[in-house]
Every structure is written in structure tokens, then in C-alpha cells.
Amino acid sequence: MFRNITLGQYYPAESVLHALDPRVKLFGALVWIISIFLMDGLFSFLLATGFLMFLIVISKVPFSFMVRGLRSIMIIVIIASVFNIFFTPGNALVEVGALRITDKGIINAILMAIRMFYLIIGTSLMTLTTTPNNLTDGLSRSLSPLEKLRVPVTDIAMMMTIALRFIPILIEETNKIMKAQMARGADFDHGGLIKKAKNMVPLLVPLFVSAFRRANDLALAMEARCYSSGKKRTKLNPLKYARRDAIAYIIILSFLTGLILMKIFL
Amino acid sequence: MSFIFDHVSYTYQPGTTYAVKALSDVSFQIKDGDCVGIIGHTGSGKSTLIQHMNALLLPTEGAVYYNGQDISDKDFNKSVLRSEVGMVFQYPETQLFEETVMKDVCFGPKNQGLSEKEATLRAYEALKMVNFPDDSFDQSPFSLSGGEQRRAAIAGVLAMKPKTLILDEPCAGLDPAGRNELLSLIRRMNEEEGITIIFVSHSMDDVAETVKRVIVMDEGRLFMDGDPHQVFSHEKELEEISLSVPPVTSLIDRLIENGFFKGMEKKEGYTVTTAKEACELICSEISR
Ligand SMILES: Nc1ncnc2c1ncn2[C@@H]1O[C@H](COP(=O)(O)OP(=O)(O)OP(=O)(O)O)[C@@H](O)[C@H]1O
Ligand SMILES: [Mg+2]
């Protein structure tokens, strides 16, 4: 059931992208998100596509693995595109009652779909090549200046680590409970919407119970090992920049500069 | 003939870097009325194996037949299989969800299409069978102790009146009395009602006391398959795959090595597996 969600999953491999410092990758993801909104002409689109393809190739993550994760996002993209097709003003191509399909609408819908796919592929490249722990590490380091403003960055990072850690556990638990209820004759696949929702009760109740129990156990275990929030913590493996990280920063910045120049001059 | 496993292999998440081959080329048969124990070290594929018997997993290679029908066939009726084959999972108490124990035990029978009344009767019988305390029938399952939850969960499967009962480590975490009760219930169901039993356990004692046939799994392969007396006479081989023999077996074997019980050492491929058999042997030695 949840096998097809690759979003936020780590794919172990040995590549340059995997070896990069998580802060670089976070910065890269941020730049990528900005660049998706900068990209409007054909050339900037080609540049971004080329850059994305380059990243996919050096990441050594099989393309088919990434695409599998896109399937579950498809519905959202389709809904967004449909809205775009029908609700963008412009020259009407087809008109049925109150619904009109316009030329601008179609272009917008296509652009929208491409932007969303690029957004997802780009950001999942980051999560696919970075372990969750590394990611939160990078995030808490990148955000550490905010500590001066009394933002509890380390606590937030800890919460994220725990949340990410629990996702696979909960998926496994869901599978287990689902199987146990199926063995007692529960049916999760058939019936209408309301029936399906009702059939979820035997799955959701045990899942919540076990999630709360786990959370409770974890809190106790952390307290037993003297964890307390708000204390300054040191790291076992502090993050250190290497030469490749500097090169990566240069590449990312030149990509961004290229896009901005195109936006201004083309 | 209820189950035939024909060169079954199973891989979790095939085609990804997370692929794990949990079963490889497993073949055996289970006949109606058998009482089979499955042993093996952790991760040897026991739970994976038994989930095939309920069509919760389908073999990635090979085939599993239930009463002559391939469970992977498109028109194979899984709901009939699941109502005839009851499955008690490892830590079954995690599947409790209803407001009261009674309602929870009714869940299975109701899914079989029984009426409210029939389901309640079945649930009552099942709860009685596992010796669940009468005054807790209408309590919330979440307010029970671990052992009581376990009983309620097992009753939830028994209430479906399965012809085959699969139990995955049902005794883990039970107190000695609870364990003895459960084991004798399993034996009774097999001997008196002819229910086929498949019993997974890490306790060699429990297996030796309960079953008539033992299947040993190692790294997803079928390592041994036979009578407990025969299987447990291979102490060395079992120890090599991180298993052991029941303590009584070990004791009697040491005694035989030291010259006691003349005549026993000639019985190749046979050993004592339960306290009862050991007692008989020792008594006959003393009275000789
Ligand atoms: N859902 C799953 N996804 C991926 N791999 C799995 C999954 N379930 C089990 N495995 C793997 O399959 C192998 C066999 O697991 P299985 O649960 O069948 O072992 P087991 O003999 O029941 O162990 P135990 O005695 O601990 O219950 C193990 O290596 C395990 O890591
Ligand atoms: Mg198991």
C-alpha cells in the first residue's frame, strides 16, 4: 500500500551527491525552488532541465525509482492542472455551459504540471541522497543563527529527527495490523467511500494506540537518559565542509545567476 | 491434503536496493489434521512462510496450493481461505480495536457473514475456551493486562472456527500458567476436533510438548522436516544454526554418553524430547 511513496525516502548509493554536506543540498533545494518560479522562457526551461538531468545522472539513483514516487503525486498535479485549464481567462477554445477551456489555460496547466514535477523531483533528489539524520543536522546548523532570536532550533531538529524516524516504523505497523485484520476477514479494498472509511476503523484504532504507546515509551527512554530540551548539545560527527562542497556552491550559484540573467535579458 | 508448498521463494520489495530474499525454494506438504511446529532463528523466514498460508503474501516464485487450488490464481477465493485458516499473529494484542472485548471477538465471525446473535455465541464460546475472565467481557480491551489482551486476541481468531489454526509465537510474554493452558488448548483442538495446527515458536520445549512434526528453517531454506524425536536428535546441526534442543533432551543425551540407559545409544535418529518421556525412561532404568 505504501510501497510507492518514495518522497522523503533515502536511497543508499555512493555518489557525489550522497557525499555532499547536507547544508549544500538544502541550499541547492532552496535555489531549485526559487528557480522553478524564475523559469518562464524556453531557454531558462532548457537550462533547468539540463541541470536537473545532470543531477539525476550523478546521483546514481535509478530514474525508475524516482518516477515511482511521482505516481502518488499524480492526482494532485491533475487536479491543479484541471483548475488551471478551466479557470484561466483568455481566448476560449471550447465552451460548455459555464466551463471554458482557454488557450492560456492549457499553457498554464502544462507549465503548472511541469513546475510541480520538477519541484518534486528536485526536492526528492535531496531526500533520496541524504539520510534523514543528516538532513535534520544540516537544517539545524543552517538555522542556528535563529537561536539568537530564541527560536528552539535544536528542539525542532530533534522533533524532526523523531518524526522522520517514525515514518517507516508506522508504515510497517500499518502493514502488520492490516494483515492481522485481513486474516480476520476485514476488507480494505471493496465497497463505496463511506464503507471504505468505516472499514478503516479496525486499522486506525490500533495504529493510534500503538503510536501513542511508542511515543510514551520513547519519551520515557529519553528522560531516563537525561535528555532535556533547551540544553546546548554537541555532535558525535560535526558537519565539516570539504572542497567538493565549495565546488557545489559555485555550481548552484552559477545556475541561479544564469537563470536570473535569462530572466532579465531574454 | 490442505497445503502444498511447491518450490516457493519470496522476496520483499523485489527490484529495489531494499530487496530481501526471505524464502528460497521451500517445498513441503501439510495434511489435514497435522500438528506442525516451525522453528528457526530470528529472521529465518518463519513469519513470512506462514503468511503464505493465508494468502497475505503470494510467492514471488513457485506456488502454494490450498486444497488443490493455487492461491495466486486470479479467481482463487481468498475470503474462503481466510475464514477456514485462522491466523494468530506475533503479538496479536496489537490488533484489538473495539470498545469492548466481546465486540472485538465478534469482528471475525461477523465478517464471515454470521448474524449478531450467532457471532455473539461464537465469541462467548471462544472467550470461554481461552479461559478469559467472565467479568471482563464488556471491558475495553485497552484496559486489560498484556496476558488478558493476548487471550482476547486469540479468542478473536478461534471465534471464526477455523479448520486450520496458525499461531506465530503465541506464548511469548505469557506467564507459565498461561503458557501451559494455551499449549494444552492447542493440543486439545488438534486431538479432539481434528484442527490442523501450525505452531511457530522459539521455545524448543513448547514445540516438543505440542507438535507431532517439526519443520526447521534456516536463512529462508527448509533445513529439516520430521518427527520431533528425530529432529531433536541432531543437536550439533541445530546448534550450528543458532538453535538448541529441549533441556531434557540435552540432559538425557549427556547421560547416555556417560553410559546410562544401555541400549538407547543404538537408537539412531531418536531422542527423548519431553519431561514425560524422560521420566518413563528414568523410571524403567531405576526399576531394572
Ligand atoms: N515487511 C518486510 N519488508 C522487508 N523485509 C522483511 C519484511 N518482513 C520481514 N523481512 C525480512 O525477511 C526475513 C525473514 O523475516 P521473518 O519475519 O519471516 O523472520 P522470522 O523467522 O519470523 O523471525 P522472528 O523469529 O524474529 O519472528 C528477515 O531477514 C526480515 O528482515
Ligand atoms: Mg516472526
Side-chain angles (χ1 to χ4, degrees):
Chain A
M1 178 172 184
F2 297 98
R3 248 167 314 182
N4 290 333
I5 300 180
T6 51
L7 204 67
Q9 214 181 62
Y10 177 65
Y11 185 94
E14 276 181 32
S15 77
V16 193
L17 275 196
H18 283 78
L20 280 181
D21 190 285
R23 283 169 290 181
V24 181
K25 285 185 264 190
L26 276 166
F27 179 69
L30 189 68
V31 166
W32 181 248
I33 293 169
I34 295 169
S35 65
I36 280 172
F37 291 100
L38 285 178
M39 145 184 119
D40 49 5
L42 180 65
F43 289 101
S44 56
F45 170 71
L46 286 179
L47 176 66
T49 311
F51 188 58
L52 186 62
M53 270 156 69
F54 165 71
L55 289 180
I56 290 174
V57 171
I58 65 167
S59 76
K60 291 194 185 161
V61 179
F63 190 58
S64 60
F65 191 82
M66 274 181 231
V67 175
R68 213 181 301 163
L70 288 183
R71 250 187 264 155
S72 41
I73 310 294
M74 207 65 173
I75 296 182
I76 303 174
V77 174
I78 288 173
I79 292 174
S81 302
V82 166
F83 271 96
N84 260 297
I85 286 182
F86 289 119
F87 297 111
T88 316
N91 302 326
L93 297 179
V94 187
E95 237 183 298
V96 186
L99 295 175
R100 2 185 338 203
I101 298 178
T102 60
D103 53 350
K104 258 203 194 133
I106 291 181
I107 294 175
N108 263 355
I110 294 173
L111 268 181
M112 176 80 160
I114 290 177
R115 281 198 174 127
M116 282 178 97
F117 278 130
Y118 277 26
L119 180 74
I120 291 156
I121 294 181
T123 45
S124 55
L125 256 179
M126 172 182 74
T127 51
L128 281 167
T129 58
T130 321
T131 59
N133 271 339
N134 243 330
L135 204 62
T136 41
D137 232 20
L139 201 63
S140 71
R141 277 294 290 274
S142 308
L143 295 180
S144 58
L146 289 181
E147 256 169 5
K148 300 231 163 60
L149 300 175
R150 299 254 184 115
V151 179
V153 174
T154 45
D155 287 354
I156 294 172
M158 178 55 91
M159 271 154 64
M160 268 186 69
T161 314
I162 293 172
L164 288 170
R165 175 73 194 82
F166 267 65
I167 290 171
I169 293 180
L170 285 182
I171 290 177
E172 203 178 297
E173 191 89 17
T174 312
N175 271 329
K176 235 197 251 163
I177 296 169
M178 226 164 137
K179 278 182 184 166
Q181 306 298 27
M182 272 157 69
R184 289 208 280 165
D187 182 1
F188 295 109
D189 300 328
H190 300 104
L193 202 62
I194 295 176
K195 183 130 196 291
K196 258 190 179 164
K198 253 189 181 166
N199 289 349
M200 281 300 182
V201 173
L203 174 63
L204 292 180
V205 173
L207 195 62
F208 273 102
V209 170
S210 99
F212 279 115
R213 204 192 45 232
R214 272 176 202 283
N216 208 1
D217 289 352
L218 182 70
L220 273 180
M222 281 168 77
E223 267 182 2
R225 283 182 259 170
C226 303
Y227 179 89
S228 62
S229 66
K231 292 264 170 60
K232 183 98 185 131
R233 318 193 80 80
T234 52
K235 290 267 187 285
L236 180 59
N237 302 309
L239 294 173
K240 265 201 212 93
Y241 278 127
R243 228 182 71 157
R244 57 171 172 262
D245 297 313
I247 298 171
Y249 270 127
I250 293 171
I251 294 176
I252 293 169
L253 285 174
S254 12
F255 166 69
L256 184 64
T257 321
L259 270 183
I260 293 173
L261 289 180
M262 279 179 175
K263 176 103 177 159
I264 298 171
F265 294 112
L266 286 177
Chain B
M1 260 185 292
S2 54
F3 282 105
I4 299 177
F5 276 64
D6 181 21
H7 298 281
V8 171
S9 299
Y10 187 83
T11 310
Y12 283 103
Q13 287 146 28
T16 68
T17 38
Y18 300 103
V20 184
K21 190 152 192 180
L23 289 181
S24 44
D25 199 21
V26 176
S27 299
F28 63 89
Q29 276 189 28
I30 290 174
K31 296 205 177 64
D32 281 336
D34 266 1
C35 188
V36 185
I38 302 180
I39 57 175
H41 56 84
T42 47
S44 59
K46 305 180 296 290
S47 300
T48 310
L49 182 75
I50 56 174
Q51 283 174 44
H52 282 82
M53 301 181 182
N54 219 329
L56 291 169
L57 297 177
L58 297 175
T60 40
E61 279 166 64
V64 177
Y65 299 93
Y66 177 65
N67 288 339
Q69 281 178 302
D70 189 337
I71 63 162
S72 311
D73 268 353
K74 277 216 177 58
D75 48 359
F76 179 78
N77 193 337
K78 284 181 189 161
S79 53
V80 169
L81 169 75
R82 286 183 190 149
S83 80
E84 289 183 1
V85 180
M87 174 98 146
V88 177
F89 277 83
Q90 232 162 342
Y91 303 105
E93 52 273 23
T94 54
Q95 71 194 37
L96 299 169
F97 72 96
E98 277 284 12
E99 293 152 51
T100 69
V101 172
M102 197 68 189
K103 275 192 188 168
D104 200 279
V105 179
C106 284
F107 179 66
K110 270 197 204 147
N111 283 330
Q112 287 177 311
L114 295 183
S115 70
E116 186 82 39
K117 218 171 169 185
E118 286 171 303
T120 313
L121 180 65
R122 288 269 193 98
Y124 184 80
E125 284 172 357
L127 284 166
K128 277 285 175 203
M129 257 203 271
V130 295
N131 251 340
F132 191 83
D134 277 14
D135 48 358
S136 305
F137 281 10
D138 289 321
Q139 259 187 27
S140 158
F142 303 109
S143 67
L144 302 172
S145 80
E148 287 165 343
Q149 284 187 345
R150 176 76 52 89
R151 280 170 213 225
I154 293 176
V157 176
L158 294 183
M160 296 174 76
K161 291 234 160 120
K163 292 183 188 157
T164 300
L165 184 61
I166 304 169
L167 302 109
D168 197 350
E169 282 184 53
C171 298
L174 287 186
D175 60 12
R179 165 190 167 270
N180 287 340
E181 254 171 44
L182 184 59
L183 291 185
S184 68
L185 175 68
I186 293 172
R187 268 194 305 264
R188 231 174 30 239
M189 288 203 292
N190 177 249
E191 281 159 15
E192 289 168 19
E193 296 172 43
I195 295 174
T196 313
I197 300 284
I198 291 144
F199 175 62
V200 176
S201 180
H202 278 295
S203 159
M204 304 300 138
D205 260 347
D206 293 358
V207 170
E209 274 178 38
T210 315
V211 306
K212 300 183 193 116
R213 173 180 165 198
V214 178
I215 288 176
V216 187
M217 297 294 296
D218 175 41
E219 315 255 319
R221 279 168 215 287
L222 192 102
F223 185 75
M224 260 189 239
D225 179 357
D227 189 61
H229 300 103
Q230 183 199 335
V231 167
F232 287 130
S233 66
H234 298 278
E235 189 172 354
K236 282 240 165 50
E237 283 102 319
L238 289 176
E239 264 166 19
E240 268 162 29
I241 60 166
S242 330
L243 293 177
S244 65
V245 297
V248 251
T249 307
S250 205
L251 171 69
I252 298 290
D253 285 354
R254 290 300 98 73
L255 288 173
I256 292 174
E257 274 166 30
N258 283 302
F260 289 89
F261 312 127
K262 292 272 176 283
M264 272 296 286
E265 74 271 21
K266 282 189 220 111
K267 278 200 187 168
E268 198 57 48
Y270 175 87
T271 185
V272 167
T273 57
T274 60
K276 203 168 143 226
E277 289 168 358
C279 174
E280 280 165 16
L281 190 68
I282 293 169
C283 289
S284 67
E285 176 86 357
I286 292 171
S287 61
R288 201 148 49 94

